[in-house]
PDB file of all heavy atoms in Angstrom:
ATOM      1  N   SER I1439     132.219  42.475 -71.881  1.00  0.00           N
ATOM      2  CA  SER I1439     132.212  41.881 -73.209  1.00  0.00           C
ATOM      3  C   SER I1439     133.258  40.774 -73.313  1.00  0.00           C
ATOM      4  O   SER I1439     133.013  39.729 -73.922  1.00  0.00           O
ATOM      5  CB  SER I1439     132.502  42.933 -74.273  1.00  0.00           C
ATOM      6  OG  SER I1439     131.606  43.988 -74.177  1.00  0.00           O
ATOM      7  N   ALA I1440     134.426  40.994 -72.713  1.00  0.00           N
ATOM      8  CA  ALA I1440     135.477  39.980 -72.725  1.00  0.00           C
ATOM      9  C   ALA I1440     135.041  38.733 -71.960  1.00  0.00           C
ATOM     10  O   ALA I1440     135.329  37.609 -72.386  1.00  0.00           O
ATOM     11  CB  ALA I1440     136.765  40.550 -72.140  1.00  0.00           C
ATOM     12  N   ALA I1441     134.361  38.925 -70.846  1.00  0.00           N
ATOM     13  CA  ALA I1441     133.865  37.783 -70.088  1.00  0.00           C
ATOM     14  C   ALA I1441     132.831  36.999 -70.891  1.00  0.00           C
ATOM     15  O   ALA I1441     132.791  35.764 -70.837  1.00  0.00           O
ATOM     16  CB  ALA I1441     133.270  38.245 -68.769  1.00  0.00           C
ATOM     17  N   THR I1442     132.021  37.697 -71.671  1.00  0.00           N
ATOM     18  CA  THR I1442     131.067  37.030 -72.552  1.00  0.00           C
ATOM     19  C   THR I1442     131.791  36.226 -73.626  1.00  0.00           C
ATOM     20  O   THR I1442     131.399  35.096 -73.939  1.00  0.00           O
ATOM     21  CB  THR I1442     130.131  38.063 -73.202  1.00  0.00           C
ATOM     22  OG1 THR I1442     129.501  38.820 -72.170  1.00  0.00           O
ATOM     23  CG2 THR I1442     129.094  37.396 -74.062  1.00  0.00           C
ATOM     24  N   LEU I1443     132.861  36.791 -74.185  1.00  0.00           N
ATOM     25  CA  LEU I1443     133.650  36.069 -75.182  1.00  0.00           C
ATOM     26  C   LEU I1443     134.286  34.816 -74.584  1.00  0.00           C
ATOM     27  O   LEU I1443     134.305  33.765 -75.221  1.00  0.00           O
ATOM     28  CB  LEU I1443     134.743  36.975 -75.756  1.00  0.00           C
ATOM     29  CG  LEU I1443     134.320  38.049 -76.737  1.00  0.00           C
ATOM     30  CD1 LEU I1443     135.513  38.914 -77.117  1.00  0.00           C
ATOM     31  CD2 LEU I1443     133.706  37.430 -77.969  1.00  0.00           C
ATOM     32  N   VAL I1444     134.789  34.934 -73.355  1.00  0.00           N
ATOM     33  CA  VAL I1444     135.397  33.779 -72.690  1.00  0.00           C
ATOM     34  C   VAL I1444     134.347  32.692 -72.481  1.00  0.00           C
ATOM     35  O   VAL I1444     134.591  31.516 -72.752  1.00  0.00           O
ATOM     36  CB  VAL I1444     136.049  34.199 -71.354  1.00  0.00           C
ATOM     37  CG1 VAL I1444     136.431  32.992 -70.527  1.00  0.00           C
ATOM     38  CG2 VAL I1444     137.271  35.054 -71.615  1.00  0.00           C
ATOM     39  N   GLY I1445     133.169  33.079 -72.028  1.00  0.00           N
ATOM     40  CA  GLY I1445     132.098  32.103 -71.829  1.00  0.00           C
ATOM     41  C   GLY I1445     131.667  31.445 -73.124  1.00  0.00           C
ATOM     42  O   GLY I1445     131.448  30.228 -73.172  1.00  0.00           O
ATOM     43  N   LEU I1446     131.556  32.213 -74.177  1.00  0.00           N
ATOM     44  CA  LEU I1446     131.204  31.664 -75.484  1.00  0.00           C
ATOM     45  C   LEU I1446     132.287  30.720 -75.986  1.00  0.00           C
ATOM     46  O   LEU I1446     131.996  29.642 -76.510  1.00  0.00           O
ATOM     47  CB  LEU I1446     130.977  32.798 -76.485  1.00  0.00           C
ATOM     48  CG  LEU I1446     130.610  32.399 -77.903  1.00  0.00           C
ATOM     49  CD1 LEU I1446     129.253  31.714 -77.917  1.00  0.00           C
ATOM     50  CD2 LEU I1446     130.602  33.608 -78.795  1.00  0.00           C
ATOM     51  N   GLY I1447     133.544  31.114 -75.804  1.00  0.00           N
ATOM     52  CA  GLY I1447     134.657  30.263 -76.220  1.00  0.00           C
ATOM     53  C   GLY I1447     134.685  28.946 -75.474  1.00  0.00           C
ATOM     54  O   GLY I1447     134.888  27.882 -76.073  1.00  0.00           O
ATOM     55  N   ILE I1448     134.459  28.987 -74.174  1.00  0.00           N
ATOM     56  CA  ILE I1448     134.427  27.746 -73.384  1.00  0.00           C
ATOM     57  C   ILE I1448     133.264  26.868 -73.828  1.00  0.00           C
ATOM     58  O   ILE I1448     133.404  25.651 -73.955  1.00  0.00           O
ATOM     59  CB  ILE I1448     134.338  28.068 -71.883  1.00  0.00           C
ATOM     60  CG1 ILE I1448     135.660  28.656 -71.413  1.00  0.00           C
ATOM     61  CG2 ILE I1448     134.005  26.831 -71.068  1.00  0.00           C
ATOM     62  CD1 ILE I1448     135.632  29.160 -69.989  1.00  0.00           C
ATOM     63  N   GLY I1449     132.128  27.481 -74.067  1.00  0.00           N
ATOM     64  CA  GLY I1449     130.974  26.709 -74.533  1.00  0.00           C
ATOM     65  C   GLY I1449     131.232  26.014 -75.855  1.00  0.00           C
ATOM     66  O   GLY I1449     130.886  24.846 -76.035  1.00  0.00           O
ATOM     67  N   LEU I1450     131.852  26.715 -76.776  1.00  0.00           N
ATOM     68  CA  LEU I1450     132.155  26.108 -78.073  1.00  0.00           C
ATOM     69  C   LEU I1450     133.229  25.033 -77.951  1.00  0.00           C
ATOM     70  O   LEU I1450     133.188  24.020 -78.659  1.00  0.00           O
ATOM     71  CB  LEU I1450     132.599  27.177 -79.077  1.00  0.00           C
ATOM     72  CG  LEU I1450     131.513  28.122 -79.572  1.00  0.00           C
ATOM     73  CD1 LEU I1450     132.110  29.194 -80.461  1.00  0.00           C
ATOM     74  CD2 LEU I1450     130.435  27.362 -80.310  1.00  0.00           C
ATOM     75  N   LEU I1451     134.203  25.238 -77.067  1.00  0.00           N
ATOM     76  CA  LEU I1451     135.234  24.225 -76.867  1.00  0.00           C
ATOM     77  C   LEU I1451     134.651  22.939 -76.296  1.00  0.00           C
ATOM     78  O   LEU I1451     135.027  21.835 -76.699  1.00  0.00           O
ATOM     79  CB  LEU I1451     136.321  24.757 -75.918  1.00  0.00           C
ATOM     80  CG  LEU I1451     137.401  25.611 -76.554  1.00  0.00           C
ATOM     81  CD1 LEU I1451     138.288  26.193 -75.464  1.00  0.00           C
ATOM     82  CD2 LEU I1451     138.233  24.813 -77.518  1.00  0.00           C
ATOM     83  N   LEU I1452     133.736  23.069 -75.357  1.00  0.00           N
ATOM     84  CA  LEU I1452     133.175  21.886 -74.707  1.00  0.00           C
ATOM     85  C   LEU I1452     132.182  21.140 -75.595  1.00  0.00           C
ATOM     86  O   LEU I1452     132.189  19.914 -75.656  1.00  0.00           O
ATOM     87  CB  LEU I1452     132.491  22.274 -73.389  1.00  0.00           C
ATOM     88  CG  LEU I1452     133.438  22.738 -72.283  1.00  0.00           C
ATOM     89  CD1 LEU I1452     132.635  23.151 -71.063  1.00  0.00           C
ATOM     90  CD2 LEU I1452     134.437  21.661 -71.930  1.00  0.00           C
ATOM     91  N   THR I1453     131.325  21.878 -76.275  1.00  0.00           N
ATOM     92  CA  THR I1453     130.302  21.210 -77.068  1.00  0.00           C
ATOM     93  C   THR I1453     130.803  20.803 -78.448  1.00  0.00           C
ATOM     94  O   THR I1453     130.435  19.752 -78.951  1.00  0.00           O
ATOM     95  CB  THR I1453     129.059  22.114 -77.245  1.00  0.00           C
ATOM     96  OG1 THR I1453     129.442  23.299 -77.906  1.00  0.00           O
ATOM     97  CG2 THR I1453     128.435  22.414 -75.910  1.00  0.00           C
TER      98      THR I1453
END
Side-chain angles (χ1 to χ4, degrees):
S1439 305
T1442 304
L1443 285 176
V1444 168
L1446 180 65
I1448 289 173
L1450 289 175
L1451 277 173
L1452 291 177
T1453 60

